[in-house]
Amino acid sequence: MMILNQIREWINIRLYPSKRRVLLFLRYSSFFVALVTLCALVINYGYELSGEDRRMVYQIVRFSLVFYLLKYIVKIIYDFHPIEFIKSTLTEAFLMLFILVNLLTIHFFNFNVLTFLGNLFDIGDINHFFEVGIQVYFLIVFLIEVGKATSVLEKVNVSPSTLFIFSFIILISIGTALLMMPEMNTVGKSPRFIDALFTSISASCVTGLTVVDTGEFWSVKGQFVIMVLIQFGGLSIISFATLLVLFTRNNIGIRQQSIMQNNLLADSLSSSSGLLKRIFYYTFLFEMVGATLLYLSYYGRTDGSVGNNIFNALFHSISAFNNAGFSTHIGGFTSEEVANIYVLHILIAFLIIFGSLGFSNIFDLFSIRRRRKEQKKPWLGLKIDTKISLYASSILILLGGVLFYFLEEKNVLSDKDFYARITTSFFQSVTTRTAGFNTVDIGSLQMSTLIIFIFLMFIGASPGSTGGGIKTNTFVLIFLGTYTIIRGRARFELFKRTIPHDLVLKAYSIMLFAISIISLGIFLLSLFEPQFSLIQISFEQVSAFATVGLSTGITPHLSTAGKIIIMFTMFIGRVGPLTLAYSLLRQTRANAYKYPEARMMVG
């Protein structure tokens, strides 16, 4: 043992001068190899390739696997404590060992371990599963490298708001390029660029407005891309990359923490990384539980393959929890196959509610640690943010459901029984807040109902969620501020707490910015789309800004100019009005002086 330690020490001493240079080379080349391999797999995924081209893709994948295997071995050699290094990367070590064994057996003995395992466990298409696993592996590797590359953000003088916006632009660009590939749709040829871009923006911004029917036009591959865009758009691609970095090296830079704090509405820089992990935990927990319940209650009992049914359940769970509104059913939830499956509607509605509450509020409600802390300190209770979100959401859902029931009782609800009317009213009230699913024809609703829907969409979901709108807390602060001013009080008080004046002013700023964007969009749409009524245009614009996705049916019939207006509106609605304003306006220094006060007439 002593001799081995001496040999290892001698090797480490000899290799130490080149360690930094070699590891740096491996780091940059790893990013390049992952990018090239991912592009090759994407081309193989999106195009019908010839046998020769497909073999070329397999050669690239094989070379990449060899590269990462050699990279791992080199890192072991250069590490001063190789045993501890292997233990700390045990999952990667097992994967590399499997790749090594499989490559050696194929090369020297013409024996494929995967095929052997497939026959042993009676898995006929195991190579297909391995191909999918390899694609996921390289996607994870690429995101890890992107996450590590964000360390350069410490040296870039760009605000977190700007970087957050650019992350969505990159995601939308990648999504558009993927959806442009022929294999992504049922037609078998590249769609119109404007349609692919519109769909990518709508999915990335978790809106749900569509210019083509998702279930009819896009193939399963295209629907999978849309599902990934929804997931990345709901949590942001920066969050995914940062999370992977946290799992690989357990720390991130100050700038990255600042971006996360801005994105997740964390209380402090130090709490942003911990909140990020909890967000992913609860997100995947709710989505997996939701997919399981959807599969057991409906999709598992339908015709079709097991894999396709699982995909449909997972797609709708992700779409509902992220408040996206996309559906793989032709015609959405108004289609005959699901229009009367009310247990499905209820499950979707509760996924929407949980997704719209906000991640911080979900943690406050469902955290076991929080409940234990309350047992020791009963006076803590729920945070004021959680209370506002719960009360506001409950009141708005109840109000929306009751109004929809009585306004549409003799219209779209006339042919339904009492239980169906109650369920439909509840579902539409929930989904109008920010999700975009609909079980009735929105274009057939009365104008009074559409006005109520515009009001609900404008308010939207709770802060820190994937939903849009000005947010429930903003609306409550605006109502509180107006009420306090009318009563002539000096302080804003809620739940026996004093609300700072700057928060109320921020709420008014958000509302003013939102009304300005919506009004500008309505004005422009009225110029380019004169064939539609004002209520149709207003409904479409508010739905786009609040990232709801409901439509009276005019979205596919919009002109190119109209689609561009809606796309910009969806983007602004997703990144947030103030985030966009902060990224465009330069920060100004506070002046030490103060001008004399001026009195003027108001009202």
Side-chain angles (χ1 to χ4, degrees):
M1 190 68 180
M2 185 178 298
I3 297 175
L4 288 176
N5 289 333
Q6 290 176 349
I7 294 174
R8 182 171 58 81
E9 185 177 353
W10 181 83
I11 292 174
N12 286 333
I13 293 172
R14 295 296 183 275
L15 292 176
Y16 184 77
S18 62
K19 180 177 180 178
R20 183 177 179 277
R21 186 169 60 254
V22 171
L23 294 181
L24 192 64
F25 169 77
L26 289 175
R27 176 181 174 182
Y28 288 113
S29 57
S30 177
F31 177 82
F32 176 75
V33 170
L35 179 61
V36 171
T37 308
L38 197 59
C39 289
L41 290 171
V42 165
I43 292 172
N44 180 58
Y45 184 78
Y47 292 90
E48 187 65 36
L49 300 180
S50 63
E52 185 63 30
D53 292 334
R54 194 175 292 274
R55 281 191 293 273
M56 178 67 71
V57 171
Y58 290 154
Q59 290 298 324
I60 292 174
V61 172
R62 181 173 294 184
F63 167 79
S64 303
L65 292 175
V66 172
F67 170 82
Y68 281 104
L69 178 62
L70 293 175
K71 175 189 173 183
Y72 189 75
I73 294 173
V74 170
K75 290 173 72 175
I76 292 175
I77 294 173
Y78 272 97
D79 199 277
F80 287 109
H81 305 284
I83 303 299
E84 286 75 5
F85 174 77
I86 293 174
K87 288 181 179 179
S88 63
T89 58
L90 204 55
T91 304
E92 188 177 2
F94 278 118
L95 180 61
M96 292 300 151
L97 179 62
F98 178 79
I99 292 172
L100 175 62
V101 171
N102 200 40
L103 289 174
L104 291 176
T105 54
I106 290 175
H107 183 75
F108 291 105
F109 305 104
N110 197 25
F111 174 75
N112 194 320
V113 177
L114 274 178
T115 305
F116 172 76
L117 291 175
N119 295 330
L120 181 65
F121 294 102
D122 196 23
I123 304 175
D125 200 16
I126 193 171
N127 285 301
H128 173 71
F129 287 107
F130 182 71
E131 288 178 17
V132 174
I134 288 295
Q135 294 180 41
V136 173
Y137 170 74
F138 278 108
L139 177 62
I140 292 173
V141 169
F142 178 71
L143 286 174
I144 289 174
E145 297 301 329
V146 169
K148 291 178 180 178
T150 56
S151 59
V152 302
L153 297 177
E154 306 295 328
K155 304 174 184 178
V156 179
N157 188 23
V158 180
S159 68
S161 300
T162 304
L163 290 171
F164 179 66
I165 290 173
F166 271 109
S167 72
F168 272 95
I169 293 175
I170 293 171
L171 180 63
I172 290 167
S173 301
I174 294 173
T176 304
L178 291 175
L179 292 175
M180 284 293 292
M181 295 189 294
E183 289 289 302
M184 298 298 164
N185 58 76
T186 55
V187 179
K189 61 181 181 180
S190 297
R192 295 172 57 202
F193 173 76
I194 190 71
D195 292 342
L197 177 62
F198 192 101
T199 304
S200 180
I201 291 177
S202 183
S204 302
C205 298
V206 290
T207 304
L209 288 174
T210 56
V211 289
V212 292
D213 192 288
T214 305
E216 184 177 18
F217 182 80
W218 300 110
S219 65
V220 175
K221 291 181 179 180
Q223 292 169 5
F224 178 79
V225 170
I226 291 172
M227 183 179 71
V228 173
L229 289 175
I230 291 171
Q231 189 71 86
F232 277 22
L235 298 176
S236 92
I237 194 170
I238 288 182
S239 298
F240 274 92
T242 305
L243 180 74
L244 291 170
V245 173
L246 284 171
F247 278 122
T248 54
R249 69 184 191 193
N250 296 320
N251 64 84
I252 55 177
I254 297 297
R255 178 61 63 88
Q256 290 167 294
Q257 292 183 46
S258 181
I259 296 171
M260 289 301 99
Q261 182 190 18
N262 182 74
N263 183 21
L264 306 175
L265 302 178
D267 297 328
S268 63
L269 288 178
S270 58
S271 66
S272 59
S273 58
L275 179 59
L276 179 64
K277 292 179 180 179
R278 292 197 296 270
I279 283 174
F280 275 83
Y281 170 77
Y282 281 109
T283 296
F284 293 136
L285 176 64
F286 275 103
E287 288 175 351
M288 290 303 105
V289 171
T292 303
L293 293 176
L294 290 175
Y295 181 82
L296 294 176
S297 63
Y298 174 71
Y299 290 106
R301 303 176 183 178
T302 59
D303 297 331
S305 64
V306 175
N308 190 57
N309 292 338
I310 291 175
F311 173 76
N312 284 329
L314 183 62
F315 184 98
H316 287 97
S317 180
I318 291 175
S319 181
F321 185 78
N322 287 280
N323 287 207
F326 280 87
S327 174
T328 57
H329 300 293
I330 298 175
F333 280 86
T334 58
S335 63
E336 293 183 0
E337 58 178 330
V338 293
N340 298 318
I341 311 297
Y342 297 112
V343 64
L344 182 65
H345 301 173
I346 292 173
L347 288 173
I348 292 289
F350 275 102
L351 280 170
I352 294 168
I353 291 172
F354 287 128
S356 65
L357 279 178
F359 296 113
S360 179
N361 297 333
I362 289 175
F363 174 71
D364 194 26
L365 285 169
F366 297 101
S367 172
I368 297 176
R369 186 187 307 171
R370 180 81 179 178
R371 300 285 77 80
R372 289 174 179 172
K373 187 181 292 185
E374 285 182 4
Q375 290 178 354
K376 298 179 180 179
K377 302 176 181 178
W379 61 88
L380 286 177
L382 295 175
K383 295 188 298 184
I384 188 170
D385 279 326
T386 308
K387 291 180 180 178
I388 293 175
S389 297
L390 287 176
Y391 281 118
S393 298
S394 301
I395 292 171
L396 290 172
I397 291 172
L398 179 62
L399 178 66
V402 171
L403 289 175
F404 182 87
Y405 183 92
F406 287 107
L407 290 173
E408 296 298 328
E409 186 178 9
K410 297 180 180 179
N411 189 25
V412 296
L413 298 178
S414 59
D415 59 340
K416 299 180 183 295
D417 57 31
F418 179 74
Y419 173 74
R421 290 180 181 183
I422 293 294
T423 305
T424 303
S425 300
F426 169 71
F427 183 87
Q428 288 305 145
S429 180
V430 169
T431 191
T432 303
R433 296 277 310 290
T434 184
F437 294 104
N438 60 292
T439 55
V440 296
D441 182 11
I442 301 299
S444 302
L445 300 180
Q446 298 190 66
M447 185 177 295
S448 55
T449 307
L450 294 178
I451 293 173
I452 295 297
F453 276 16
I454 288 174
F455 172 73
L456 293 174
M457 291 191 298
F458 181 74
I459 297 174
S462 300
S465 70
T466 56
I470 63 171
K471 303 297 192 296
T472 52
N473 291 22
T474 304
F475 175 75
V476 169
L477 288 182
I478 292 170
F479 184 84
L480 174 68
T482 304
Y483 176 78
T484 302
I485 292 171
I486 291 175
R487 294 293 301 270
R489 296 178 179 176
R491 293 187 300 273
F492 304 109
E493 298 173 345
L494 186 65
F495 293 118
K496 297 182 179 180
R497 295 289 188 276
T498 300
I499 308 299
H501 282 70
D502 61 323
L503 284 181
V504 179
L505 292 177
K506 185 178 180 180
Y508 278 108
S509 301
I510 291 173
M511 184 182 70
L512 180 61
F513 202 109
I515 292 174
S516 301
I517 294 295
I518 291 171
S519 301
L520 178 61
I522 293 173
F523 171 73
L524 293 175
L525 285 174
S526 65
L527 290 178
F528 292 105
E529 311 293 341
Q531 70 274 26
F532 301 122
S533 65
L534 181 61
I535 187 66
Q536 288 178 312
I537 290 173
S538 301
F539 192 92
E540 192 83 6
Q541 177 66 7
V542 174
S543 178
F545 176 81
T547 66
V548 175
L550 290 177
S551 175
T552 55
I554 70 173
T555 313
H557 308 292
L558 293 173
S559 63
T560 301
K563 290 177 182 177
I564 292 173
I565 294 168
I566 293 298
M567 285 190 289
F568 271 108
T569 305
M570 289 190 293
F571 182 78
I572 295 172
R574 176 63 185 99
V575 300
L578 285 188
T579 301
L580 183 65
Y582 291 156
S583 66
L584 296 176
L585 300 176
R586 294 183 177 179
Q587 293 183 349
T588 57
R589 295 180 179 178
N591 296 322
Y593 56 85
K594 178 183 178 182
Y595 290 114
E597 291 185 357
R599 309 299 297 178
M600 55 189 295
M601 292 185 294
V602 177

